[in-house]
């Protein structure tokens, strides 16, 4: 169990490279140009490759979310060991980015994340590895942050359920100025 800005020990970059290569083929590691919606102002190739692997293999992920009075408990898992390595790397990397206020500004990124990148000091995070994935508890005394944590957890669950279609629907819900609109009936929120 770790808290705050601590980092879960990961295998070497070579191990992540092998996992990504096994899931997506060697070309994706060196050519992420084919995924412009996953690139951001501040993203690295391996982060884009992690996102792509999770989108492409979303049906192999399972996810549960429990809304707590002051936050969330999420459990995301997979029986696929290569995908699991990328999942854990993504989760721990994004938590570290929030702690560091390093918003990647990915094109498909939910505006729900804005407040989390603005107020990381109000978030307490605990990460625990499960047998086949990762459990995360995030809590806050700031009601706006709690609402954002719960909304984003639901958005990620939609991504796990529907993959890239969830991202497309979220982008369609925004107006031309980039400001998010409320989803239409039957439509999910933003990622």
């Amino acid at each position: 169990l770790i808290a705050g800005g601590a980092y879960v020990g990961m295998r070497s970059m070579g191990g992540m490279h092998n996992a990504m290569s096994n899931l997506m083929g060697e070309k994706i590691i060196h050519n992420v140009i084919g995924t412009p919606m996953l690139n951001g102002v501040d993203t690295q190739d391996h982060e884009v490759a992690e996102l792509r692997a999770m989108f492409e293999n979303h049906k192999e992920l399972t996810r549960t979310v429990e809304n707590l009075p002051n936050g969330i408990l999420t459990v995301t898992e997979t029986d696929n060991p290569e995908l699991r390595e990328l999942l854990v790397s993504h989760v721990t990397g994004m938590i570290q980015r929030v702690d560091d206020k390093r918003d990647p500004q990915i094109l498909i990124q939910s505006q729900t994340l804005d407040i989390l990148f603005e107020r990381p000091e109000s978030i307490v995070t605990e990460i625990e590895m499960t047998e086949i994935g990762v459990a995360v508890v995030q809590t806050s005394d700031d009601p706006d942050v709690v609402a954002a944590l719960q909304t984003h957890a639901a958005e990620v669950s939609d991504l796990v359920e529907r993959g890239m279609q969830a991202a497309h629907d979220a982008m369609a819900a925004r107006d031309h100025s980039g400001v998010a609109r409320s989803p239409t009936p039957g439509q999910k929120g933003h990622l």
Side-chain angles (χ1 to χ4, degrees):
L1 194 67
I2 64 171
Y7 180 77
V8 172
M10 291 298 302
R11 294 183 203 167
S12 70
M13 286 299 291
M16 283 195 298
H17 184 277
N18 290 339
M20 287 185 259
S21 295
N22 290 341
L23 283 171
M24 301 172 292
E26 185 67 23
K27 65 183 178 187
I28 187 59
I29 302 307
H30 302 290
N31 182 12
V32 294
I33 295 169
T35 55
M37 290 178 53
L38 302 179
N39 287 307
V41 173
D42 175 24
T43 53
Q44 297 184 11
D45 288 353
H46 77 274
E47 293 172 310
V48 175
E50 289 167 359
L51 286 169
R52 181 171 178 163
M54 288 184 289
F55 273 113
E56 290 180 350
N57 299 282
H58 71 96
K59 291 182 180 180
E60 294 185 50
L61 296 167
T62 61
R63 182 168 165 87
T64 59
V65 175
E66 180 183 345
N67 284 342
L68 307 172
N70 62 342
I72 54 168
L73 162 62
T74 65
V75 179
T76 311
E77 298 178 312
T78 179
D79 290 325
N80 180 325
E82 289 89 9
L83 185 58
R84 183 178 317 124
E85 185 172 340
L86 300 177
L87 165 69
V88 171
S89 176
H90 173 74
V91 169
T92 58
M94 285 304 295
I95 289 169
Q96 188 63 54
R97 276 184 167 277
V98 169
D99 285 347
D100 295 342
K101 295 187 176 185
R102 286 186 51 227
D103 185 345
Q105 300 179 44
I106 298 168
L107 182 61
I108 64 169
Q109 180 175 310
S110 168
Q111 293 171 330
T112 304
L113 293 174
D114 292 352
I115 191 172
L116 305 181
F117 282 105
E118 292 167 5
R119 303 181 195 175
E121 63 282 347
S122 70
I123 304 168
V124 176
T125 300
E126 298 175 357
I127 302 172
E128 183 175 346
M129 307 316 297
T130 70
E131 189 174 316
I132 58 172
V134 60
V136 178
V137 175
Q138 290 185 296
T139 57
S140 178
D141 292 332
D142 182 332
D144 294 332
V145 170
V146 171
L149 288 169
Q150 293 175 349
T151 298
H152 185 62
E155 293 166 346
V156 173
S157 293
D158 188 29
L159 179 150
V160 167
E161 182 180 328
R162 300 188 307 128
M164 192 54 81
Q165 186 60 50
H168 290 172
D169 290 349
M171 289 184 72
R174 297 178 188 172
D175 66 22
H176 293 122
S177 69
V179 176
R181 295 181 300 194
S182 297
T184 59
Q187 184 179 22
K188 301 284 184 170
H190 326 297
L191 294 181

